[in-house]
Amino acid sequence: MDYSFFQHYWWLIISLLGALLVFLLFVQGGQSLTYRLGKDDKHLNMIILSLKKKWELTFTTLVTFGGAFFASFPLFYSTSFGGAYWLWMLILSSFIVQAVSYEFIAKQGNLLGKSTYQFFLFLNGFLGPFLLGIAVSTFFTGSEFMVVKENITSLSMPVISSWQNPLHGLEALGNVWNLMFGLAVFFLSRSLGALYFINAIDDEDVRKNAVKQLLINASAFLLLFLTYGVYILMKDGFAVDPETSVIVIEPLKYLHNFLSLPWVLALFLIGVVLVLIGFIRTIMNPRFIYGIWYAGIGVILTVFALFVILGFNYTAYYPSVTDPQSSLTISNSSSGIFTLKVMSIVSLMIPFVFAYIWHTWKLLDKGKINAAGIDDEYGY
């Protein structure tokens, strides 16, 4: 278990957390569907109640994902969060608005009114997945930054990373491929949200309308994801020479990564198939309510595989288009071996955390939500 082992181990942890986060974005997707599915107060109350039970899981996973990145790969944290801060501030602000909305939307006499907080939830439902998708897409398309580690000894300006664009992350919105991936994640979250409502809410109207929304959003997601998938398989990537640590441009880098790591390719293909099964079975049979589990597991496997090919096989997971030699890899951006070892011991608790989440989920889902369980006067 050398230094490289722990670096790869922690990239796997980051990949798993990122995959879980994308799955849990069904909460945001569900919020963006409230205007489509919540035709009256009864349906809206059922929808909000079902999401209110789960929104903290997404928020907690987002914080854990950021914290794990900070602890294991601090140079990425300082480079991206410290450089592209306007993009990350928009993402975090949308999640803060979400938390406030769930706190006050059900309270009688709240200052802004229920409809305002419903709009805030819709806003987070769109901006959260869309902007997170754009941020992740920059792992493939690259960003404008420079890293000069020698600056750490400078008394006047001990800043290692510097962003080379005055927009500080907002420039990512000008890349069509970033926008495409952002929209793909948005439509995926809406598809998962529709599947979740079909499973969690025992109401014929909600399920019928959710199936219609699933057909629309799943079609948009598959079209965008397929196009973006072809793009990343055909594009050049930033590879690391294992002998010299020099960053070089390698044609078809991500395709080569899949072919060099057949177990990752297998996980990716299994994930895609499971997502399709979840979509198709639900659309073909409206009484089938378990599509969220097929698609959810498929999303986790697919996103996990995409994260793995970003960092494994001598790949720069955060490429710099300004200075390729500043690109971040799991070897040049990680914490020291002592820190990684200590955190690896702590990470052994992760299965227990997953077990707790699963147990909590089952308790919260004990009994389907229906109109009989909704208090019309107080909403939730």
Side-chain angles (χ1 to χ4, degrees), residues 41-70:
D41 284 344
K42 179 189 72 172
H43 292 134
L44 178 61
N45 291 347
M46 287 190 287
I47 289 169
I48 297 299
L49 176 60
S50 67
L51 295 174
K52 189 176 182 180
K53 292 181 176 183
K54 302 295 192 308
W55 76 270
E56 290 181 345
L57 294 177
T58 310
F59 194 90
T60 302
T61 304
L62 175 64
V63 173
T64 304
F65 176 72
F69 233 139
F70 170 73

Side-chain angles (χ1 to χ4, degrees), residues 198-215:
I198 292 169
N199 179 263
I201 300 177
D202 183 15
D203 183 89
E204 196 65 31
D205 291 333
V206 170
R207 287 178 174 173
K208 181 180 178 181
N209 291 328
V211 170
K212 292 180 181 178
Q213 290 302 314
L214 174 63
L215 177 60

Side-chain angles (χ1 to χ4, degrees), residues 220-298:
F221 160 69
L222 292 173
L223 177 61
L224 291 167
F225 183 73
L226 177 62
T227 304
Y228 191 86
V230 172
Y231 161 70
I232 63 173
L233 292 178
M234 296 294 103
K235 79 182 298 293
D236 298 342
F238 288 58
V240 186
D241 188 314
E243 300 296 330
T244 64
S245 297
V246 173
I247 308 293
V248 296
I249 303 299
E250 179 181 329
L252 307 177
K253 174 58 177 170
Y254 302 107
L255 176 60
H256 293 163
N257 285 359
F258 270 127
L259 297 177
S260 300
L261 302 168
W263 64 274
V264 179
L265 177 59
L267 289 178
F268 179 82
L269 294 177
I270 293 171
V272 170
V273 170
L274 287 174
V275 171
L276 291 175
I277 290 175
F279 289 167
I280 293 172
R281 288 195 65 181
T282 305
I283 293 172
M284 298 299 293
N285 180 13
R287 296 192 177 278
F288 179 73
I289 66 171
Y290 302 108
I292 182 63
W293 298 117
Y294 285 91
I297 294 172

Side-chain angles (χ1 to χ4, degrees), residues 145-167:
F145 63 89
M146 290 187 66
V147 176
V148 184
K149 293 186 176 181
E150 291 77 11
N151 284 351
I152 194 65
T153 60
S154 173
L155 296 178
S156 60
M157 187 175 291
V159 178
I160 295 177
S161 308
S162 59
W163 208 256
Q164 303 300 299
N165 191 298
L167 296 177

Side-chain angles (χ1 to χ4, degrees), residues 25 28-29 95 124-134 182 185-186 189:
L25 287 176
Q28 276 62 41
F95 278 90
N124 170 250
F126 171 70
L127 290 179
F130 177 64
L131 295 178
L132 279 173
I134 287 177
V185 175
F186 169 65
S189 71

Side-chain angles (χ1 to χ4, degrees), residues 33-158:
L33 289 172
T34 54
Y35 288 110
R36 293 292 182 181
L37 303 182
K39 301 297 185 180
D40 53 38
D41 284 344
K42 179 189 72 172
H43 292 134
L44 178 61
N45 291 347
M46 287 190 287
I47 289 169
I48 297 299
L49 176 60
S50 67
L51 295 174
K52 189 176 182 180
K53 292 181 176 183
K54 302 295 192 308
W55 76 270
E56 290 181 345
L57 294 177
T58 310
F59 194 90
T60 302
T61 304
L62 175 64
V63 173
T64 304
F65 176 72
F69 233 139
F70 170 73
S72 54
F73 299 98
L75 189 53
F76 165 78
Y77 195 88
S78 64
T79 300
S80 183
F81 288 78
Y85 51 77
W86 285 123
L87 178 60
W88 288 110
M89 284 297 293
L90 283 175
I91 293 172
L92 294 175
S93 296
S94 76
F95 278 90
I96 292 172
V97 166
Q98 177 202 34
V100 172
S101 297
Y102 278 118
E103 176 67 24
F104 290 101
I105 190 172
K107 291 187 176 180
Q108 286 189 327
N110 62 65
L111 181 63
L112 300 178
K114 181 189 292 187
S115 59
T116 301
Y117 290 113
Q118 182 186 355
F119 173 73
F120 287 162
L121 290 177
F122 171 82
L123 201 62
N124 170 250
F126 171 70
L127 290 179
F130 177 64
L131 295 178
L132 279 173
I134 287 177
V136 171
S137 180
T138 61
F139 284 45
F140 291 103
T141 60
S143 298
E144 301 179 35
F145 63 89
M146 290 187 66
V147 176
V148 184
K149 293 186 176 181
E150 291 77 11
N151 284 351
I152 194 65
T153 60
S154 173
L155 296 178
S156 60
M157 187 175 291

